[in-house]
Every structure is written in C-alpha cells, then in structure tokens.
Amino acid sequence: MSEEEPKFVGTRRFGGQPVRQPAYNFRDVPYCSKDLAGSTLSEVTDRQHLVNSIAEFALLCNEATRRKHLSEIARGKKSRCPSKPLSIEYIFDRIDTDDPIWGFMVR
C-alpha cells in the first residue's frame, strides 16, 4: 500500500467473502431459559469463527431490541422506536482489533 492510499482497518472485510446469513429467522427463535436448558455452548478461539458470525450478531442485536420494545409496550411503558443497535461495520471492527480473541457462544 502506498503512502497516498488511505489505511482503513475495517475495509479488509469488503475485499473478502460476503457476510454469511444465518439459515433461520430470528423471530422464530424461542426465548432462552435462564439456566440455558436446550442451548448449546461452543468455545471461540479463532477470529474467523467470529467473522463468519457477523450477520448473526447484527441480527441477534436487532431481534433483542425488537423484543425489548414489544415487552415494554405490553407492560404499558413508553418505548421509543427501536433502531439498529449495532452496525455490521462496528461488529467487524471489534473482531478485527480486539485481542485476545476468546470466549463462548450460546445458541
């Protein structure tokens, strides 16, 4: 890269493979029980595992926001219109720059 070209860390995603869409609709996913019964736990130690899940993360945040909004309306609370809580670019930036990469995913 020459000195004249902009150096954007997050632009690497656009040169790679398309973001993978989950094979299910988040509105069809039941609420998770507090004891995580019926869920699976997987360890994340590879950055690519997270990159492959970017669309899922964004859609999960959107669905959580939608459910929270509906819950507040059902309880008679004022709720502002839900908006997109996290962008794909922000999620990618976190995956791209945060170290070390480790953790767990609950499904």
Side-chain angles (χ1 to χ4, degrees):
M1 183 180 301
S2 74
E3 289 296 317
E4 297 170 8
E5 293 176 340
K7 297 177 183 177
F8 297 108
V9 174
T11 58
R12 292 187 321 179
R13 180 176 67 82
F14 299 108
Q17 297 177 346
V19 175
R20 294 181 185 179
Q21 295 295 316
Y24 57 93
N25 186 331
F26 273 85
R27 290 184 182 202
D28 298 334
V29 175
Y31 283 79
C32 179
S33 66
K34 291 185 180 191
D35 65 358
L36 301 180
S39 301
T40 60
L41 181 70
S42 56
E43 185 177 10
V44 176
T45 58
D46 179 28
R47 194 175 308 273
Q48 191 59 45
H49 186 157
L50 296 174
V51 170
N52 292 343
S53 301
I54 288 175
E56 193 171 3
F57 295 150
L59 292 170
L60 174 67
C61 291
N62 292 346
E63 181 61 15
T65 299
R66 186 187 75 81
R67 289 181 183 190
K68 177 70 173 174
H69 175 71
L70 293 176
S71 170
E72 288 177 353
I73 289 174
R75 289 182 302 182
K77 288 187 173 183
K78 279 191 169 186
S79 180
R80 56 190 174 103
C81 182
S83 62
K84 188 174 180 180
L86 293 177
S87 70
I88 288 176
E89 289 76 15
Y90 175 81
I91 295 168
F92 179 79
D93 186 54
R94 298 284 30 100
I95 294 169
D96 189 41
T97 58
D98 289 353
D99 278 319
I101 291 291
W102 64 272
F104 299 93
M105 290 178 72
V106 177
R107 288 194 165 124

